[in-house]
Amino acid sequence: MQSRSMILFAAISGAIGVGLGAFAAHGLKVHLSPHLLDVFKTGVDYQLWHSLALLGCGIWARNFSAKALSYAALLFAVGICLFSGSLYLLALTGMKWLGPVTPLGGLCFILAWLSLAVAAWRSA
């Protein structure tokens, strides 16, 4: 994953995260139970935090090229889609079969952070 792609995905993901957060706060409050609203908001929180992490990868990749950094960025992107996406769909549709998808996204996040640690270790 190239620096430009990392930053582009992070920017779009951040914009979508803010939009979905506003949608949850203003449009979903009356339609979802408090539990499902919390599920949706958890998806937004993780999407925004990991969009920032992905943005950091993109900025760092402009000065330091490493496979571990590219893996981290890719895993952050996949994690956002799997983790947050499954929580959004679960909250909006009630499809319980999406439950096992969420931990896969979480695993992607963990692996992304570990890849970032490897990139940091190797950059010294």
Side-chain angles (χ1 to χ4, degrees), residues 1 9 11 17 19 25 44 52 59 63 68 72 75 86 98 110:
M1 197 172 206
F9 189 97
V44 170
L52 287 174
I59 293 168
N63 298 316
L75 287 163
S86 67
L98 289 165
I110 293 167

Side-chain angles (χ1 to χ4, degrees), residues 33-43:
S33 69
H35 170 70
L36 289 179
L37 190 58
D38 281 344
V39 167
F40 194 93
K41 287 180 177 181
T42 298

Side-chain angles (χ1 to χ4, degrees), residues 23-88:
F23 177 59
H26 301 290
L28 291 179
K29 194 184 285 189
V30 296
H31 298 290
L32 294 180
S33 69
H35 170 70
L36 289 179
L37 190 58
D38 281 344
V39 167
F40 194 93
K41 287 180 177 181
T42 298
V44 170
D45 289 344
Y46 274 74
Q47 179 170 349
L48 290 173
W49 281 112
H50 289 92
S51 293
L52 287 174
L54 183 54
L55 178 64
C57 288
I59 293 168
W60 190 13
R62 296 223 164 176
N63 298 316
F64 176 71
S65 178
K67 282 191 182 227
L69 191 53
S70 292
Y71 290 140
L74 182 61
L75 287 163
F76 280 132
V78 171
I80 289 168
C81 294
L82 292 178
F83 186 89
S84 295
S86 67
L87 290 181
Y88 299 146

Side-chain angles (χ1 to χ4, degrees), residues 2-15:
Q2 293 181 343
S3 172
R4 180 179 177 185
S5 299
M6 294 175 198
I7 294 171
L8 181 63
F9 189 97
I12 292 169
S13 177

